[in-house]
Amino acid sequence: MDRTVYTFNVSQAPYVEVDATIHDIEALPQRFYSGGDLAWVMVASVLVFLMVPGLSLFYSGILPPKVALQNAWLPLMTAAVIGIQWYLWGYAVTFSNWPDDTTFWGGAGGIALNDALLRPVPAFRNNGRDGPYVPEILYVLFEGMFASFTAALVAGAAAMKDRPGHFLIFIVLWATFVYDPIARWTWNLEGWSNKWGTLDFAGGSAVHICAGATVLAHCVFHKFILPKMEAAMGGIHPDPTHEIPMGQLNGQGNGMNGGLHGHHPPLADPVALVSDPISTDHTNVLLGTLFLWIGWFGFNGGSALSASVRAVSACVSTHLAACAGAVTHCALTAIVEFLSSDGDGEAAAPRVKPFRFSVVDFCNGAVIGLVAITPAAGFVPHSLAVVFGIIPTIICWALYGLSLLVDDKQFIVVIHGIGGFVGMLMTGFFARGSVAALDGTTLPHACRGGLDGHWIQLAIQFGDACAASGYAFVVSLAILVVLEPMMFYFRRRQTRTSEEVDDSQVIVECRP
């Protein structure tokens, strides 16, 4: 054991207990806020927003060229629209704490950020004591990036289904009645889930499970409910899978994949399931994953809301989980391909050829690891982070076929919904109070999991994940059903049917 004694000069420690009113803070803010904390959270906010163009590249690369431009543009437009919604009323609904507010819904006190500037916000969101603070205006910025990213993530549901204008109307209502209430009960100190003791460091429920359940509702609506509604209203709705050859739905590609993909079983290769490998841009998928991977350091590390050792631990755990997920996903697909049958119905001997690795498998595996570690990054030891890349990746890899049932072309339901659910449960098992206490203020006994003997935390995590997924699915589906009569009226005024959602609806250059 290392018994070296280290001496520190702590006379300039930024966290000195002093009493101050809001007027004192406004008069001399630099006295009360740590410049290091402010700088880190500002950088983290930028990193989180960097994930939105990452989604644009990822979505545009994994779908055919017919919808590539729309799926590159729509996440950015969605983030812009939600940025305005967050400014006008989203933040107030989520984080306002006025006397008349409830655990589900904030009041009008913070409308248009009229009361948010230098008021201190605690640098914790899960059962700690008052410690380092950040000014509320910075907290508004950071959390607003989460809202924009989550909405941009849901934008993948609109691929080859919705017109952009229709989706943007839906996403504003969704942010108000789905995301904001879930984020409130998860992160607001008065939220029922937060008081219940749920451990969700950076958005396992509020971001990933919420987005996955919303996309599931969107796909179920368009595949099963919308055709019946349009038939009842005198319209005709096409088969949503009409553009995807059945051979590809069964994982039977044409084999012309430039060496990136081999012949995979139906549940192992997302690209073989949803599109012609020739029609996708794997470079965009790879670049999008790079943006997401980099941005996730701000997503998880910034959630400590301080430049602390806990933030460093969260960043290390994030990176290790992504690495483990990418390697695991590639290994699974390569091994299955290597041992696959020769197509004559009989088991074949292992092929005498080298393993081949898939670009999209690498990207999906990395994202699964990042999703799973999101709720756990500030609670689990970094030495266990690789487990969050391995176990969720294996589970999601085995369940890819579920997305075919609902025509989820982006596999958001599996990667984010199921991956986030598994991550929440694993957080309840692996969370250690000693990791949460690395920020110097969080109480260790308040953030314990199964490894610390607090087995009830598993039930708490399961209950929160079920509540978030159920609420997001039901309310999102209700919004879609209520909006449909209006959307049907506008569709009847247009000559094209909903199957013709393509790049012609996104103008590339300005026209006089």
Side-chain angles (χ1 to χ4, degrees), residues 85-100:
Q85 184 267 354
W86 187 253
Y87 160 74
L88 290 177
W89 67 83
Y91 178 78
V93 171
T94 308
F95 290 106
S96 175
N97 282 316
W98 291 82
D100 295 334

Side-chain angles (χ1 to χ4, degrees), residues 40 44 48 51 125 142 146 201-204 208 295-305 310-311 314-315 317-319 321 369-378:
W40 167 235
V48 175
M51 298 167 71
R125 288 176 290 184
F142 183 68
F146 275 65
F201 188 67
H208 298 294
W296 231 289
F297 289 110
F299 198 87
N300 289 349
S303 293
L305 293 182
R310 189 183 189 186
C315 288
S317 296
T318 298
H319 184 62
L370 292 167
V371 168
I373 197 63
T374 294

Side-chain angles (χ1 to χ4, degrees), residues 416-436:
H416 293 273
I418 296 178
F421 204 104
V422 174
M424 285 291 290
L425 295 180
M426 292 179 64
T427 301
F429 181 82
F430 290 104
R432 301 298 298 266
S434 58
V435 176

Side-chain angles (χ1 to χ4, degrees), residues 260-385:
L260 294 175
H261 290 272
H263 181 79
H264 299 289
L267 300 185
D269 185 5
V271 171
L273 290 173
V274 299
S275 63
D276 187 344
I278 297 178
S279 300
T280 58
D281 189 342
H282 294 144
T283 302
N284 277 6
V285 176
L286 194 60
L287 288 175
T289 303
L290 174 64
F291 276 84
L292 290 171
W293 197 325
I294 294 173
W296 231 289
F297 289 110
F299 198 87
N300 289 349
S303 293
L305 293 182
S306 62
S308 61
V309 179
R310 189 183 189 186
V312 177
S313 177
C315 288
V316 173
S317 296
T318 298
H319 184 62
L320 291 175
C323 293
V327 172
T328 300
H329 206 301
C330 286
L332 285 171
T333 303
I335 292 173
V336 170
E337 178 187 353
F338 187 79
L339 300 176
S340 61
S341 65
D342 58 4
D344 59 3
E346 298 180 359
R351 302 175 183 178
V352 183
K353 65 177 183 180
F355 286 105
R356 294 194 297 176
F357 298 100
S358 162
V359 169
V360 176
D361 284 337
F362 171 87
C363 296
N364 282 341
V367 173
I368 292 171
L370 292 167
V371 168
I373 197 63
T374 294
F379 298 116
V380 300
H382 58 270
S383 57
L384 297 176

